[in-house]
Amino acid sequence: MKKVGLMLAGVLVLGACAEEPEAAPAPVEGVVDGMSIQNARLVLAPVSGNPAAVYFDLSYTGERALSLYDAEVEGAGDTTIHQFGEYDSRVQMMEALPIGLTAGTKVEFKPGDYHLMAMEVSPDLEAGGTTEVTLKLSGGGTHVFDAEVRAAGDER
């Protein structure tokens, strides 16, 4: 009886070893789990050579707290995250501090608030096309999405 019990225990142990736990899916480069971008658009300046603005709606439902600290726009020489704020008794545009993202965060990048300023815009960016935007996040992550390119007079 003792031998049967030991053999049965051995079979159970071996059976448990045969089952490997499912591996978590590998992260996709350029995608942050829980982040979604809607309504992305780059609005060209009315005067060629002036900066363009990028607007979008960001939602984050991820479990890990992150900070959005920088961005890049394909076809722009430099990109800065800006926001409007009061300084010296005036409302003015300034470079934004890192934006904290926790589960449930929604941030609108819109005229008069947060937005990306794309400087030194290539003449290849034309209304009706698209451009790639890369958000840079704490921990080395990036989130990449396409933005529709709009003319200066189009809806922002």
Side-chain angles (χ1 to χ4, degrees), residues 8-155:
L8 187 55
V11 168
L12 290 174
V13 169
L14 287 175
C17 290
E19 286 185 38
E20 292 183 26
E22 275 189 43
V28 178
E29 188 169 327
V31 175
V32 172
D33 284 337
M35 185 173 289
S36 66
I37 304 294
Q38 303 293 321
N39 197 26
R41 65 253 185 234
L42 177 143
V43 181
L44 295 168
V47 176
S48 180
N50 283 354
V54 180
Y55 307 111
F56 54 94
D57 301 323
L58 181 152
S59 295
Y60 182 66
T61 59
E63 294 178 19
R64 183 174 155 224
L66 300 170
S67 291
L68 168 58
Y69 69 89
D70 199 7
E72 289 180 358
V73 174
E74 184 177 52
D78 190 29
T79 304
T80 305
I81 302 173
H82 279 173
Q83 75 178 121
F84 282 85
E86 190 172 324
Y87 178 76
D88 201 20
S89 301
R90 293 187 339 223
V91 174
Q92 52 190 307
M93 186 172 46
M94 60 188 89
E95 191 169 340
L97 294 172
I99 302 167
L101 305 173
T102 57
T105 299
K106 293 178 188 255
V107 183
E108 287 184 82
F109 285 70
K110 62 185 180 181
D113 202 349
Y114 285 115
H115 61 281
L116 305 183
M117 288 299 298
M119 280 72 80
E120 303 162 23
V121 176
S122 168
D124 295 337
L125 288 180
E126 296 179 346
T130 61
T131 190
E132 188 176 271
V133 178
T134 302
L135 302 180
K136 296 180 179 184
L137 300 131
S138 57
T142 59
H143 192 84
V144 179
F145 59 93
D146 287 333
E148 172 190 353
V149 178
R150 295 184 182 174
D154 291 349
E155 183 182 341

